[in-house]
Amino acid sequence: MNPIDRRALLAGAGFAGAGMALAMAGEAHAQSTSQGNAAPESGAPRAPDPTARHRIRFAVIGLDHSHIYAMTDALIRGGGTLVTVYAPDPAQFAAFSRRYGDVKRARSEAEILDDKSIQVVASASIPDLRAPLGVRVMRAGKDFLSDKPGITSLPQLAEVRRTIRETGRKFAIMYSERFEVRAAVKAGELVKAGAIGKVVQTVNLAPHRMSAASRPEWFFDTARYGGILTDIGSHQADQFLFYTGSTRADVVASQAGNVGNPKYPRFQDFGDMTVTGDGGTGYIRVDWFTPDGLSTWGDGRLFILGTEGFIELRKYVDVAGRPGGDHLLITDAKGSRYMDCSKVPLPFGPQFVSDVVERTDVAQDQVQALLAAELVLKAQAQAKPPILS
């Protein structure tokens, strides 16, 4: 499996406890304070990658989703030094500090925003809090790295774009199903090299395991996480834009709803969407129906169709029997072959740190990142309920 095991991140971290206490009593939109986060099985990076050219200082605000571990690891690999963390929940902070050592605990968000030595703030707070935090971070003169979904409404998106224009700061979104999956990195290299000709279509299948008993209360509230297309679908929209090279795109059709979990009426367990762009078309299906018999949290697959061949990724598991994840299969004029991508380097961290220092957009194109968010927000807004006969 990947060195950053996403099942360990999701199933083992950040979702303990059925209820959600609030960081500030009586405030419905305060940060969650009832979940402790467990670190993934692999250890934290001890030093930057050899490819890291720069050094920065960064802070973390919000540990409500366990993706914060992969985000923090990526920044350390890129040359970042973790300076301080603001986490109202003592259990979350304790778990985080066990992984990263003697981390300073900030007394408030303002303490971090006022520290001029900090260049980047990373956050995996509750989804609907991320964009407003990012705006505050950018207005404090820092760049922002958000867990996905970074934005949960179109008004938030408009404010983020306005703040980027006014401040010149970065609002990056960690689409980890591309940045932190080695097979996805390799697929990008192959597409760029023209291995399958011009990309025509992407098909993303993204099943997830629900594990309801371990989820916090906000997980079941579409107002907090934005809906299934906004949340999980943001990964897939990012991949569609990246692999097709689309700079303009729109939603053709979308569905979202609750088809199998009546106990949680504000939760969405199934969604799909069809998208089209100036570089190709895409189909995306997301769900929370991974059965308990699967060895990992989801059998995520990506199919990339080109004019001269096609690629299939089996990102996290091969149900046919190959061990681990990061499986890539490619078929072209020469035949079909398999690639084990488990040793492919992950370039996002070093590239992002360089982007922060050099003011470039190598790790993530800012316009594309927000276009992916726009696509899923539009798809969510126009989604029809699935019809089951």
Side-chain angles (χ1 to χ4, degrees), residues 144-157:
F144 185 62
L145 177 62
S146 174
D147 186 14
K148 68 81 213 167
I151 300 165
T152 58
S153 71
L154 289 169
Q156 283 188 352
L157 176 61

Side-chain angles (χ1 to χ4, degrees), residues 229 251-256 271-274 378-385:
L229 295 175
V251 179
V252 176
S254 59
Q255 301 180 101
D272 70 354
M273 55 190 284
T274 301
K378 286 182 175 179
Q380 190 73 55
Q382 70 185 51
K384 297 180 180 179

Side-chain angles (χ1 to χ4, degrees), residues 222-287:
T222 55
R224 303 306 310 270
Y225 71 87
I228 191 168
L229 295 175
T230 296
D231 180 21
I232 304 176
S234 62
H235 281 303
Q236 325 315 324
D238 164 73
Q239 291 167 77
F240 156 71
L241 293 173
F242 177 74
Y243 293 116
T244 64
S246 293
T247 58
R248 299 190 306 275
D250 209 347
V251 179
V252 176
S254 59
Q255 301 180 101
N258 186 323
V259 301
N261 288 279
K263 182 179 177 181
Y264 305 101
R266 301 188 69 182
F267 181 66
Q268 293 180 339
D269 55 23
F270 175 85
D272 70 354
M273 55 190 284
T274 301
V275 291
T276 184
D278 56 359
T281 64
Y283 173 74
I284 293 163
R285 191 203 78 204
V286 292
D287 68 77

Side-chain angles (χ1 to χ4, degrees), residues 18 210-213 215-222 225 264-268:
M210 187 172 171
S211 303
R215 301 290 183 173
E217 187 174 331
W218 60 261
F219 174 83
F220 301 101
D221 186 352
T222 55
Y225 71 87
Y264 305 101
R266 301 188 69 182
F267 181 66
Q268 293 180 339

Side-chain angles (χ1 to χ4, degrees), residues 1-76:
M1 200 48 131
N2 296 340
I4 297 178
D5 186 331
R6 194 161 177 266
R7 182 181 179 205
L9 295 179
L10 289 173
F15 297 115
M20 181 180 74
L22 299 177
M24 298 174 64
E27 289 194 45
H29 293 288
Q31 287 193 347
S32 166
T33 61
S34 68
Q35 300 92 52
N37 280 348
E41 294 175 1
S42 59
R46 296 186 177 183
D49 284 356
T51 57
R53 304 197 313 269
H54 298 287
R55 300 294 182 265
I56 63 168
R57 291 164 59 83
F58 74 97
V60 170
I61 297 176
L63 306 177
D64 291 285
H65 197 297
S66 54
H67 283 166
I68 194 60
Y69 291 108
M71 297 164 66
T72 302
D73 285 0
L75 287 169
I76 293 172

Side-chain angles (χ1 to χ4, degrees), residues 55-374:
R55 300 294 182 265
I56 63 168
R57 291 164 59 83
F58 74 97
V60 170
I61 297 176
L63 306 177
D64 291 285
H65 197 297
S66 54
H67 283 166
I68 194 60
Y69 291 108
M71 297 164 66
T72 302
D73 285 0
L75 287 169
I76 293 172
R77 292 198 312 267
T81 296
L82 177 59
V83 176
T84 185
V85 178
Y86 176 58
D89 183 347
Q92 289 180 345
F93 179 78
F96 191 83
S97 61
R98 279 195 297 272
R99 178 170 174 79
Y100 297 106
D102 187 17
V103 181
K104 177 185 176 183
R105 188 176 184 185
R107 293 166 293 182
S108 66
E109 174 188 304
E111 181 179 325
I112 291 175
L113 298 187
D114 291 342
D115 186 341
K116 297 187 183 303
S117 75
I118 293 171
Q119 295 154 276
V120 172
V121 172
S123 178
S125 54
I126 297 173
D128 65 326
L129 303 179
R130 294 169 189 169
L133 171 61
V135 168
R136 296 192 297 274
V137 168
M138 290 188 289
R139 293 203 178 280
K142 308 177 192 307
D143 293 322
F144 185 62
L145 177 62
S146 174
D147 186 14
K148 68 81 213 167
I151 300 165
T152 58
S153 71
L154 289 169
Q156 283 188 352
L157 176 61
E159 179 62 20
V160 166
R161 282 174 166 158
R162 180 165 49 251
T163 306
I164 291 169
R165 289 194 302 270
E166 293 174 357
T167 65
R169 310 312 304 181
K170 294 181 180 296
F171 187 106
I173 302 173
M174 182 58 134
Y175 295 123
S176 56
E177 288 193 24
R178 177 164 67 89
F179 295 136
E180 294 293 310
V181 173
R182 298 171 193 274
V185 173
K186 184 62 178 181
E189 295 173 357
L190 291 169
V191 167
K192 185 177 181 181
I196 57 171
K198 182 186 182 302
V199 173
V200 176
Q201 184 199 42
T202 61
V203 174
N204 286 84
L205 307 179
H208 285 58
R209 179 173 285 135
M210 187 172 171
S211 303
S214 66
R215 301 290 183 173
E217 187 174 331
W218 60 261
F219 174 83
F220 301 101
D221 186 352
T222 55
R224 303 306 310 270
Y225 71 87
I228 191 168
L229 295 175
T230 296
D231 180 21
I232 304 176
S234 62
H235 281 303
Q236 325 315 324
D238 164 73
Q239 291 167 77
F240 156 71
L241 293 173
F242 177 74
Y243 293 116
T244 64
S246 293
T247 58
R248 299 190 306 275
D250 209 347
V251 179
V252 176
S254 59
Q255 301 180 101
N258 186 323
V259 301
N261 288 279
K263 182 179 177 181
Y264 305 101
R266 301 188 69 182
F267 181 66
Q268 293 180 339
D269 55 23
F270 175 85
D272 70 354
M273 55 190 284
T274 301
V275 291
T276 184
D278 56 359
T281 64
Y283 173 74
I284 293 163
R285 191 203 78 204
V286 292
D287 68 77
W288 288 100
F289 292 121
T290 293
D292 289 342
L294 190 69
S295 61
T296 189
W297 59 271
D299 183 11
R301 296 195 183 188
L302 167 65
F303 302 84
I304 308 173
L305 173 65
T307 56
E308 299 174 20
F310 56 86
I311 293 170
E312 177 186 350
L313 304 188
R314 299 179 182 182
K315 295 181 178 180
Y316 313 111
V317 64
D318 177 10
V319 294
R322 292 187 184 92
D326 287 305
H327 307 288
L328 185 151
L329 300 100
I330 181 170
T331 299
D332 56 18
K334 299 177 182 178
S336 300
R337 56 196 181 277
Y338 166 77
M339 296 183 184
D340 176 0
C341 300
S342 60
K343 303 300 182 183
V344 172
L346 297 172
F348 177 81
Q351 289 176 348
F352 180 71
V353 169
S354 292
D355 284 345
V356 168
V357 175
E358 299 174 10
R359 309 317 294 169
T360 50
D361 290 298
V362 176
Q364 180 176 75
D365 180 86
Q366 180 70 91
V367 174
Q368 186 182 85
L370 297 185
L371 179 56
E374 180 180 341

